[in-house]
Amino acid sequence: MSTTTLDTTKTAPAPAAVPVRRTRRRGERGPLGTALLHGGLALASLIALAPVAWLCYLSLGPDKDDYLHPGGIAGKLTFSNYSFVLQHTGFLDWFKSTLIVALGTTVIGVLVAATTGYAVSRMRFPGYKQLMWVLLLTQAFPIAILIVPMYEIFSELGLIDTYWALIAINCSTAVPYSAWLLKGYFDTIPFEIDEAGRVDGLSPFGTFFRLILPLARPGLAVAAFYTFITAVGEVAFATTFLLDDSKYTFAVGLQTFVSEHDAQWNYMAATAVLIAIPVTVFFYLVQKNLVTGLTAGGTKG
Amino acid sequence: MTVAIDRATGKRRGDRAPRPGLGQRVKNGLQKYWYAYAMIAPVVIVLGVLVGYPLARGFYLTLTDANSLNSARTIGVNHIDATYEFIGLDNYQDILFGPTAYDRFWSHFLWTVFWTAACVALHYALGLGLALMLHQKLRGRTVYRLLLVLPWAVPTFVTVFSWRIMLADSGALNQLLGALHLPQPAWLEDTFWQRFAAIMVNTWCGVPFMMLSLLGGLQSIDSTLYEAAEMDGASAWQRFRHVTLPGLRAVSSTVVLLGVIWTFNQFVIIFLLFGKNSAPDAQILVTWAYQLGFGQQPRDFAQSAAYGVLLLSILTVFTSFYFRWLKRNDQLAV
């Protein structure tokens, strides 16, 4: 890992170190610089790729101990793990649970957060600072602080082992988060549009629903996607609050392959690949917007 | 001229639109505020119900001796009411200064601080390095970027298991080290190597976010600044030091804050990497609190909640100091 940093520091000064008389345009490098750049990036990519690639490879080995002698897998590649996982485990149940929880969180979270994102982007009102502070602070909430009281409250309400409990919990992080993200996006929409709306006699609500919301569709999509991903990846609450294995989400279901007594790494790997592929594909489609949304929301807060 | 600008920025700090005086504000702005409050109402209500109430309740729990034996519970058809009692600040007293305080709280606290500092430093350094490399004109840049984002794209709970296979006793990593005739540490058993592995896995998971954010920051730096610096004879290092780093400051301060918060609260990696009930010394405060509340019998709800309150206080103090520090630096820079 550390080699990559070394490479970086080397590549940056490399062009300047060579004293050349001819005019060299900015951004041009000698061949050494280019080689180092490619080397560094290739090495980093390899490190980034390795664990995932390894998982895919292991998922093709038929035996649970194949990871101990991976050389043997190449000779007996099979998709049997996949068919087993799909047919004889709770995979499809988990898939359903994950979808319900994640979609529920997304819909509620984004709907609730949208107006607030707009309000904090456009309006200054007494309590504005406090609200922004609370939105930021809920990011800092360790799961440890809510998990115990939530457990108590939900047991009293009889909501342990229900999807509602998880949706509600995920919303507690997703709502402030979406509001924060959406504020960043609304900030990029010119204020003149609001003013034009006002001049035409729209109320702030009218401006928001008729003008801004349609324009903000990409921002809403990013917030929705981010919420979805976060809800899919939630481990702590799902592990604690879901008891019935037909209601497990992926994050809990995946753990069942690796109990204290028995580790079925081959099925685990196949399941992991089945989970990772669709999520990753979706992720790649929107990744550029994700960062813009995140940092825009943050830097302007 | 300068004075006027200073005044304008000073007034806008933290509250960007210039505001009229208090009396006028109340008079003119009442209906505007009405809209604002109506718009923020959903979030305020949701946060009040889902965060505020549990928080208050959790805080009350920390003042009691609640555990899974005396809390309200239902066994079969019988409902047993809660019997825990109010004991004041005893939990905090016990956690912070009790006879085994060092073994339970302070050792984990020190490790958590070290873990956060190490991870964020690595995230930032590697992320910045990779972002600088990706920012160069280079063939195949898009492919590199896509590959490097992979750790962020795959759900963490999936990749942590992948690391667990690779770090296992005779897993891929040790086979590789063995082939190179290097020592093969017991990654998942020995405390030092457990901590090492945890930092390594978290670094691997966290770099892509830093990299992409900083790359976005790099791309937003005006290229004429570099040309001007070059005209003035600035070396590559000087350009990096005096153009790139200041240009990245806004992005950096955000991602470092987010990084600290996320890493401090990083539950998934440590929880899943070591499985249940192992690696007591590699637990950070968050996972340790979870362990107290849900990983043992009887479950110690009160102490677990007290850890939660302590964690939140630490982060709140940190965040407010961080902001104050940022503000002071901004004033110096402007």
Side-chain angles (χ1 to χ4, degrees), chain A residues 127-149:
Chain A
Y128 169 83
K129 271 189 185 174
Q130 286 79 358
L131 180 68
M132 292 307 284
W133 179 243
V134 168
L135 290 184
L136 181 74
L137 202 64
T138 44
Q139 294 292 302
F141 264 53
I143 56 117
I145 201 167
L146 289 181
I147 195 161
V148 171

Side-chain angles (χ1 to χ4, degrees), chain B residues 55-76:
Chain B
L55 193 63
R57 184 106 179 229
F59 185 70
Y60 174 72
L61 269 184
T62 66
L63 305 176
T64 68
D65 59 355
N67 59 37
S68 58
L69 299 179
N70 60 17
S71 295
R73 60 202 182 279
T74 312
I75 299 170

Side-chain angles (χ1 to χ4, degrees), chain B residues 3-310:
Chain B
V3 180
I5 290 171
D6 275 348
R7 212 173 269 165
T9 48
K11 213 174 186 182
R12 265 192 276 132
R13 176 153 298 128
D15 189 356
R16 279 175 295 148
R19 300 203 304 195
L22 184 73
Q24 219 184 351
R25 212 163 70 215
V26 174
K27 221 188 286 173
N28 294 351
L30 206 63
Q31 73 189 117
K32 201 165 72 182
Y33 295 153
W34 182 83
Y35 283 118
Y37 289 133
M39 282 186 162
I40 64 168
V43 162
V44 172
I45 293 168
V46 167
L47 288 185
V49 172
L50 291 180
V51 178
Y53 175 62
L55 193 63
R57 184 106 179 229
F59 185 70
Y60 174 72
L61 269 184
T62 66
L63 305 176
T64 68
D65 59 355
N67 59 37
S68 58
L69 299 179
N70 60 17
S71 295
R73 60 202 182 279
T74 312
I75 299 170
V77 288
N78 301 320
H79 184 80
I80 302 163
D81 280 329
T83 54
Y84 52 78
E85 284 169 1
F86 185 85
I87 56 167
L89 293 172
D90 282 5
N91 281 315
Y92 294 99
Q93 157 81 26
D94 182 46
I95 289 171
L96 294 175
F97 313 109
T100 52
Y102 178 77
D103 289 336
R104 288 174 305 154
F105 181 79
W106 293 106
S107 61
H108 288 116
F109 173 76
L110 290 176
W111 158 232
T112 308
V113 170
F114 178 77
W115 145 271
T116 309
C119 286
V120 175
L122 282 169
H123 284 164
Y124 190 81
L126 291 171
L128 182 60
L130 290 172
L132 285 171
M133 290 164 91
L134 281 179
H135 193 51
Q136 309 287 324
K137 283 197 183 68
L138 189 75
R139 203 175 296 159
R141 184 159 72 154
T142 323
V143 179
Y144 284 131
R145 206 193 67 219
L146 282 179
L147 286 175
L148 287 170
V149 173
L150 196 76
W152 193 30
V154 181
T156 313
F157 67 88
V158 169
T159 45
V160 170
F161 278 111
S162 162
W163 276 99
R164 226 169 116 173
I165 309 181
M166 299 204 316
L167 292 170
D169 257 347
S170 18
L173 206 61
N174 275 350
Q175 289 177 18
L176 189 71
L177 289 174
L180 296 169
H181 300 290
L182 292 168
Q184 306 174 24
W187 297 100
L188 302 176
E189 278 96 47
D190 185 65
T191 300
F192 174 79
W193 291 110
Q194 279 173 337
R195 292 179 171 182
F196 191 94
I199 292 181
M200 190 165 75
V201 174
N202 189 41
T203 303
W204 184 84
C205 290
V207 164
F209 169 72
M210 285 281 187
M211 183 190 76
L212 282 191
S213 312
L214 292 171
L215 186 60
L218 285 178
Q219 279 160 354
S220 70
I221 299 177
D222 193 350
S223 66
T224 52
L225 288 177
Y226 286 102
E227 278 157 30
E230 213 161 350
M231 289 289 222
D232 292 345
S235 69
W237 168 250
Q238 282 169 325
R239 289 199 301 270
F240 174 74
R241 175 79 187 71
H242 296 290
V243 181
T244 310
L245 282 185
L248 284 177
R249 211 179 48 218
V251 181
S252 297
S253 56
T254 310
V255 290
V256 167
L257 177 66
L258 283 177
V260 167
I261 290 175
W262 287 344
T263 312
F264 195 83
N265 288 334
Q266 179 56 260
F267 178 82
V268 181
I269 290 178
I270 292 194
F271 180 70
L272 292 183
L273 193 60
F274 304 116
K276 280 174 189 134
N277 301 323
S278 62
D281 291 326
Q283 303 290 329
I284 55 173
L285 287 171
V286 175
T287 53
W288 182 246
Y290 181 84
Q291 176 82 10
L292 289 176
F294 295 94
Q296 61 177 30
Q297 284 298 340
R299 299 169 163 191
D300 194 340
F301 290 149
Q303 292 245 344
S304 180
Y307 269 87
V309 171
L310 288 172

